[in-house]
Structures are given as C-alpha cells and as structure tokens.
Amino acid sequence: MDDCIFCKIAAGEIPSTVVYENDRAIAIEDLNPQAPVHVLVMPKTHHANILDGVEADELAALVEAIGEVAKAKGLEERGFRVIANTGADAGQTVDHLHVHVLGGRELGEGLLA
Ligand code: AMP
Ligand code: ZN
C-alpha cells in the first residue's frame, strides 16, 4: 500500500520509536499516548484490519510481539489491555491492522476507559 502510514513506518520510511520487532510484526510507541504505556503492534505487511486475510504465522508473530512489549514495559505482573479498533463504529483511523497495548495505570473496569 503506497500511501499507508503504517506500511511506511514498518519499512523505516517514516520515523517511529520502535519498541520491538520480529520478522513479521513491529511495535512502536503511539504518537498520542492514552496511558503511561501505549504501544501499537502491527504486522509488517498490509492488512486493512483483522478481517483482511491475516495469515496464521502473522497472527502468531503479532501475539509474540505483544508479549515482548509487555515484558519490555514491565506490564506482565500488573496487566494491560489489548484493543484492535476495526472499522468505522470502532473509530479505526489508520486502515492498517494494529493493536493498542495499554497499561501502566489502572485502566478501569469498562472496556472504553
Ligand atoms: P486507531 O484509532 O485504532 O486507528 O489508532 C490509530 C493510532 O495511531 C492512534 O492512537 C494514533 O495516535 C496513532 N498514530 C497515528 N499516526 C502515528 C504515527 N505516525 N506514529 C505513531 N502512532 C501514530
Ligand atoms: Zn499498511
């Protein structure tokens, strides 16, 4: 995808703060953090969202990256939240599959907190 900002980040064409990467996924600091830890984890290849033909090994790489982010950020003991906004009702603003990893504070019981 030529005009996809996250494809460009994954390719190193746009600067970002990389927290972790493996062969198929990359984790970067969110530009507009909503919690003390707010990291975006995404596959390196373009998929619009979680419904868009993601391969099993890409998903495995994504989950592995989430775990490595949790370790690197010290979230394993206290926990964290993983959110994948998908489509308009969820308010997805970047159409390249990504999950938000949020933590470092009490996030509240509601999913939207
Ligand atoms: P979503 O609303 O789920 O599509 O989330 C998009 C997220 O991407 C938002 O939290 C933005 O702050 C974040 N974001 C947008 N552009 C960048 C960027 N260049 N580097 C890091 N995070 C970004
Ligand atoms: Zn993309």
Side-chain angles (χ1 to χ4, degrees), residues 49-50 62 81-87 90 92 97-101:
N49 58 47
I50 207 159
L62 200 74
R81 185 168 289 157
V82 177
I83 295 173
N85 289 324
T86 304
Q92 184 177 1
L97 169 61
H98 56 280
V99 301
H100 299 254
V101 177

Side-chain angles (χ1 to χ4, degrees), residues 68-111:
E68 293 300 324
V69 168
K71 268 189 230 166
K73 295 292 188 179
L75 299 177
E76 285 177 294
E77 194 174 322
R78 287 184 51 193
F80 56 96
R81 185 168 289 157
V82 177
I83 295 173
N85 289 324
T86 304
D89 272 4
Q92 184 177 1
T93 58
V94 179
D95 287 332
H96 178 126
L97 169 61
H98 56 280
V99 301
H100 299 254
V101 177
L102 295 153
R105 68 165 164 85
E106 175 73 55
L107 293 167
E109 291 175 14
L111 284 176

Side-chain angles (χ1 to χ4, degrees), residues 5-20:
I5 188 171
F6 286 176
C7 280
K8 288 181 178 158
I9 284 175
E13 293 164 9
I14 290 178
S16 67
T17 303
V18 177
V19 177
Y20 173 79

